[in-house]
Amino acid sequence: MRRCAPLWCKSNYSFLEGASHPEELVEEALRLGYSAIGVTDRDGVYGSVRAHLAAQEQGVRLIIGSEITITDGSTIVLLAQDRAGYANLCRLITRGRLRHEKGQSSVSYAEVAEHAPGLVALWGGDRSSLVSRTKFDAEAAGNLRDAFGDRLYGMLARHKREQEPLQEAILRERARQLGLPLVAASEVLYHIAERRRLQDVLACIREGVVLSAAHTLLKPNAEHVLKSPHALAALFEDDIAALDRSAEIAARCKFSLSELRYRYPSEKLPDGTTSIEWLRSLAATGARERYAGSLPPAVREQLDKELTIIEKLDYAGYFLTMWEIVQFCRVQGILCQGRGSAANSVVCFCLGITAIDPVRMGLLFERFLSMERAEPPDIDLDIEHERREEVIQHVYAKYGRTHAAMVANVIRYRARSAVRDVGKALGLAPTSLDRLAKLLSHWDHADSSSLRNAGFDPEVPVHAHLLDLTEQILDFPRHLSIHPGGFLLGHEPVSDLVPIENGAMENRTVIQWDKDDVEAIGLFKVDLLGLGALYQLHLCFELLREHTGVELSMATIPPRDKRTFDLICQGDTVGVFQIESRAQMAMLPRLRPENFYDLVIEVSIVRPGPITGGMVHPYLRRRSGQEEVTYPHASLEPVLKKTLGVPLFQEQVMRLAIVAADYSPGEADQLRRDMAAWRRTGRIEAHRERLISRMQQKGISLEFAERVFKQILGFGEYGFPESHAASFALIAYATAFLRTHYPSEFTCSILNAQPMGFYAPATIVDDAKRHGVQILPIDVCASSWQCTLVRVPGSGAFAVRMGLRYVKGLGELQRVCIETAQQQASFVSLPDFVRRTGLDVRSLSSLAEVGAFECFDLPRRQAIWQVRSLVQERESALELTSLGRKARFAGLTPIEQVAWDYRTSSHSPRAHPLALLRSELTRQGLPDARRLSALRDGARVRFAGLVICRQRPGTASGVTFMTLEDETGFANIVFWQQVFDAFAVLARTASFLGVSGRLQKQDGVVHIIAEEAWQPQLPLPTQVGSRDFH
Amino acid sequence: MDRWACVSVPALPLQIVARSKPEWRSLPTVVVSEDKPQGKVQWANTAALQSGVLPGQSYALALSLCNGLRACVVPPDEVARVTEELKAALWCYSPAVEVGEEAGVFWLDASGLGRLYTSLVSWSDTLRERLMKLGFATCIVVGFSRFGSYALARASRQSLVLTSGADERTRVERVPLARLDIEPQFRDVLSKLGIHTIAALLSLPASGLLRRFGQTAARLHAMAAGEFAALKAEEWLAPLIVRSLLDAAESDSTRLLFVIKRMLAELLSKLVVRAEALAGLQIRFVLDRKQGKVETEPLRPAVPTLDGMLILDLVRLRLESWQLEHGVIEVELEATGVPSSSEQLRVFAEQPRRDLGAADRAIARLRAEFGPDSVVHAQLCDGHLPEACFRWQPMAALKPAAVNGEDWEPSAAVEDEPEEKGVARTLALRPLVRRFFRKPLQLSAPARQLRNDGWLIRGPEPGPVTHTAGPFLVNGGWWLREIQREYQFVMTRREDLYWVYQDRRRRRWFLHGLVQ
């Protein structure tokens, strides 16, 4: 077989150009008998890690390179010969990318020449200036030749196009003049010819045209396939030496991504101490603070163990970085807390990164870090969301843009986007595609039946193409976005490791690899994630300090407050982090959490993992004493004791695999990773046989083994590690405590932290009112932009004054205008307000409609009428005084007032819409939500309320859950699929809904099993937004 | 004018859909702004409304609410066309018709028509039935004022003939503002102020409305208060048609030309009265012995003109190409006029060296003689297939050739670079022109075992193929009809160059062109 190598292959990471995964290119190269392949994506090395992993697995040598765009629009292919060359390539791409907006790049020939060391350049192809009559620059060509020396080649690319012989003639002549050797290397865009169709479609998506109008935007033939050495030999039979030269070049390019040596940035250490010494010192200091001077032996032992592993793996710098970020947050007063597997580490606990004591909780450190795995630890830091950008910019400032960049997130084609984009390229009607896309779920894929359901006919060729091509395009990268909070930090410039480019967001720079790539290469990622609940807690602590003088923090909240747990047990948790959803509220009275660990279980039990694994009911039965606590095998008792013999956490599944199926800790961790990705990869099936058979060998029943495996699949959907649940439970408890003891402060803070959580502001306001919090309406003389606390005269309590931010139509500009005017002097009249704020008619009308001018003794309609006149006067040069008769308007009825409140501010401080209709509802025999719980189980009942939530969980087999609200509380409605379908229009669209059905009471949880839905015959309350099907 | 009638065609776009697609009448149907998921629902019929679909929703949302929803777009042109159709029908019932700005609203002068139709009720019923036959449900109100008749026509479900002005005023005051075509923002503000009816609107001070909401609001107030506004009836313009009955059947084109010449003079004088020039002329002949009618393609002069001889020349060219087997017993000419423009300025304009006008006149003559598609020019297109690289476009006028500097750039660039001359010289082969056939000619396939005489492309004279260059592949079109061609240049013993391809799907060879 002839020795040659394909050197110019573009994978699908040349976004919307290449039509094969990097892995496919590598596998096909191996099948065709190549020993090396060059992957040269356009202006990037996006696919290099995947190609590298595949090449390692297949035993093919990967040559990493890139097709670089020059400022004149031409291209040149660069290949990394060694580590220095790879760094030069990354630096060159970084330079080209950073000078352009996201998605574009270009460098000059001078810059290419400047970065020549360690790189091989292939100059040719139809977009190259070497074959162009107009773009060729002889001086630049000479400079390139001087910079690259014998590493600059003229590239012969043959794709059987009619223009190529002429272009090749020009190239040969110029190469002769420049003294360049020639190499044969055609452009490869797909690994098999069948992908040509997909490549056409990708070109159409990229250019935004349909296939029939794409013309020369498409390649003229299917010659961009990865050809066999025999086929290449036939193609270049007239210049076989040029083909042989490709093998020589492949031999010259010895660089592999395995050579990347990553060094974590060193902290500036005091007194020349080493990183690990500094870390040990900080951990010891932190431990003394955490344990008030008396360090328990178990903690000391665990601390030593962890620090030893950290030292051996040389990860001290990473922990110091996280500590430094946490310190920054502390100094700046930004609330933060570590989550995820980091909570398994006592070092993280002592450094103040996490708030959970892993020793006391008995958490598995190996889930976080182990010698065997020797993989970078993953510390996720939750930061209050309003101030996360400050922390991100601090990291950029501390390490510099060269040494810190955010990790990318590769947006890939999923079923819906695939159907939309491919269908559009095929010229199908967007509405039909929209219908098909909506029939598909996120992980689904289109098939014949879904096509038929959407009105397509799979027998029609174009529809068959749609089916085929959407299947092929699934998981293809479409474009790059930014990871929610992942940072890559490096001691050396990050752009020596991977190119950096601009993100779509201002002031964000992003690397070209995603988190999986970073992990696979063994680089450290720092995750800085935004969390609304922390921001709310921050606001609440500030309100407490300002208004009551109470100094509280996450650390000083009393840990075992009975009143707090009592309210939690009742499911009275609107606004409480993680346990406020409909499903959590329904679970709370059954699980009845009595301590912190119960909350940890509560947080993690209402998850698809335990639900689909069938673990919820056994746990509840055992907890209530209805079922004996047994263990499938004596060896599993230590693993499952905390959860009464029922596995609920990821760590337990890992331990189960270790104890019951003889997995090593590393294999158990691999099981965990495969759990997370089973739907995509199917790798989990490889564990099935092994797990079940080994468990049976240990005497564990087949039924239990099957159940454990089923749960593992469930965890793939979404399962919590115990440590993560514990971190969240801590925030859940803190918010529940504040809600119980400081309802006004809690309400005010959660309203100011919006948008966050599960409920709309209206629900939070009404819930607060039910708990005795007085809510005061928006008032331009009394309201600030944010909601504020106002002392209620004659009592120590505080009322919440709604802020101007809740007026629809007011934004940042209006905030500045109003606040500036407020600072000058209080408003004395409407003309004064209109004149000094300078607001436009629209904003003033919004304020008038919400009743914010009632402080000037102006009813809303009168205010609407007046502001228009006052604005005219303000803008008119002449002071006009109306001499005409005055307009009179009817006053608003109470129902209208509430309706206006909802329309203009999405809530009403005055009353719940149904409170005003209660007499009529009662006359019609409709009970309120509070009375429902007093009715007997099985009673037939009719109920009407505002729909605040519609949910159809994937685990509920088509059942739709609805929460209806009235002035006394919530009612949970269950719609079986047939009932929902029968009343679909009403059930989907009505904001005020009546249901008839049977009452179901179990463990204090009340549901109405709907049999019928109807439109209540009443003056319709206002439209209230509900959270639907999220 | 003492009686006004307002004809309201509610939800005109929806009615247009119902007329063109009667099978949709009982199905939930909407008119959308564009056929895209983000398109807005503009009108919805009762069945759609019952499914929860509302105007203003996106098409995607409407579809999710109603699975079997039918939707289509009614473009403004279609509404305008139907409005013209309705206007033409209304003209049969009133001498003065005004088309309202709001689609589907017309005002008619109904004065005195009661006597013609025994009563205004009878007139109104007759008119409504006529419109019903056209496929439109309407509401007609005969009142005493423009605003009164309009407001009641928009608000009522049934047609009305009002008996007194006082009755009209009483009824109008109760009309909800929501029924009128008021600017939505203004209507919303009025609604917020609790102003829902005409009476409530009239309770507001006119000056206050003017100051706050501007002229449109003040105008509405004034109209509602009874301000008079005259009917702006459109002028009736009869089509420009002249007919001539012949004493005896005529089949001689020269004699017919003289008949047409006389008729043309009459037609042109009518155009002059309308201050128009002739832009198109349609000739229709009624044939003898009940052989039916024939009509010509419209004749179009190079520019609109009143020059009878020039038009007659075009008519002559057209008639010469006609074969009239049966005699003509009636001739009808229909002219299309456009407003004539003054040509005075041309005196001062610089005269181009080449007379493009003469060329255009020549083209007009060719088109008259051989049909409108007889003069074409090639337009370059973007395509891989040779036949897709250009298309023939009918041409009515000659355009001066545009000299595009960029077109010449390549050679200029080569000249600017001395070192490039070597390349250019090397590649400067003798200029070749490739001509290709409108339809490729099928060839016999090259024999697997070539005999001494080889592959004969065009018979023995040019000799067998001696050299080939290629193949160059062009394939694609898989989404519609897949094409796979392998092109080659072949040279025969006589050094003739041919351009051939093998159709891989049909396994046949074709001669696509010659290289000269």
Side-chain angles (χ1 to χ4, degrees), chain A residues 400-473:
Chain A
R401 293 269 163 183
T402 49
H403 292 68
M406 294 197 77
V407 174
N409 186 25
V410 178
I411 305 299
R412 294 173 186 283
Y413 273 106
R414 301 291 173 228
R416 287 179 172 182
S417 52
V419 160
R420 286 203 167 98
D421 274 9
V422 173
K424 201 171 161 189
L426 287 167
L428 296 171
T431 41
S432 309
L433 294 171
D434 190 58
R435 192 188 305 211
L436 175 59
K438 283 181 176 158
L439 287 173
L440 304 170
S441 68
H442 185 67
W443 292 108
D444 229 342
H445 63 102
D447 56 17
S448 302
S449 77
S450 54
L451 230 60
R452 281 201 182 88
N453 288 341
F456 292 98
D457 179 0
E459 305 299 321
V460 173
V462 71
H463 298 167
H465 289 318
L466 176 69
L467 202 60
D468 178 35
L469 291 164
T470 46
E471 188 66 30
Q472 288 184 37
I473 207 174

Side-chain angles (χ1 to χ4, degrees), chain A residues 111-159:
Chain A
E111 286 168 326
V112 174
E114 194 185 318
H115 292 82
L119 288 172
V120 172
L122 312 181
W123 204 10
D126 65 335
R127 290 185 304 284
S128 159
S129 62
L130 199 59
V131 302
S132 166
R133 284 180 181 275
T134 55
K135 290 177 183 168
F136 182 70
D137 180 343
E139 189 183 335
N143 290 341
L144 275 186
R145 183 194 50 206
D146 295 344
F148 280 92
D150 67 345
R151 289 174 286 111
L152 178 62
Y153 293 84
M155 182 165 64
L156 303 175
R158 292 184 181 174
H159 306 95

Side-chain angles (χ1 to χ4, degrees), chain B residues 11-205:
Chain B
L12 179 61
L14 206 53
Q15 293 209 43
I16 292 172
V17 175
R19 190 171 73 148
S20 61
K21 295 182 169 71
E23 68 278 12
W24 285 14
R25 281 176 193 269
S26 58
L27 301 170
T29 304
V30 291
V31 173
V32 290
S33 58
E34 50 183 342
D35 187 13
K36 287 182 177 170
Q38 303 81 6
K40 289 275 176 260
V41 173
Q42 294 174 316
W43 300 93
N45 71 357
T46 312
L49 291 169
Q50 282 169 351
S51 303
V53 175
L54 292 170
Q57 289 173 343
S58 70
Y59 184 20
L61 174 61
L63 262 180
S64 70
L65 293 171
C66 179
N67 238 348
L69 189 68
R70 284 356 187 226
C72 77
V73 177
V74 179
D77 287 354
E78 179 65 8
V79 175
R81 198 190 59 72
V82 170
T83 302
E84 285 299 311
E85 187 186 342
L86 285 166
K87 187 172 74 177
L90 294 174
W91 250 319
C92 302
Y93 293 85
S94 169
V97 176
E98 179 183 336
V99 180
E101 285 179 14
E102 187 182 340
V105 172
F106 304 86
W107 279 280
L108 279 67
D109 180 358
S111 307
L113 294 173
R115 272 172 251 156
L116 202 62
Y117 286 79
T118 66
S119 72
L120 280 172
V121 174
S122 169
W123 173 79
S124 160
D125 288 347
T126 313
L127 175 53
R128 194 163 48 81
E129 278 166 25
R130 169 71 195 277
L131 296 177
M132 185 71 84
K133 277 183 187 164
L134 283 177
F136 296 100
T138 54
C139 180
I140 302 168
V141 171
V142 184
F144 293 87
S145 67
R146 170 190 284 272
F147 185 81
S149 59
Y150 161 74
L152 290 170
R154 296 294 294 169
S156 305
R157 290 182 188 276
Q158 292 177 332
S159 295
L160 277 175
V161 177
L162 300 166
T163 51
S164 68
D167 180 28
E168 183 186 273
R169 275 193 298 280
T170 311
R171 286 172 183 262
V172 165
E173 286 189 351
R174 291 199 298 263
V175 169
L177 292 172
R179 292 296 183 92
L180 308 183
D181 184 37
I182 300 175
E183 200 262 317
Q185 281 182 329
F186 176 46
R187 191 178 56 206
D188 285 351
V189 178
L190 289 178
S191 172
K192 284 172 190 169
L193 292 171
I195 308 296
H196 300 295
T197 60
I198 299 287
L201 177 72
L202 291 173
S203 73
L204 294 176

Side-chain angles (χ1 to χ4, degrees), chain A residues 224-239:
Chain A
H224 290 264
V225 69
L226 182 60
K227 288 191 169 74
S228 70
H230 294 298
L232 282 180
L235 190 63
F236 290 97
E237 64 178 354
D238 57 322
D239 191 357

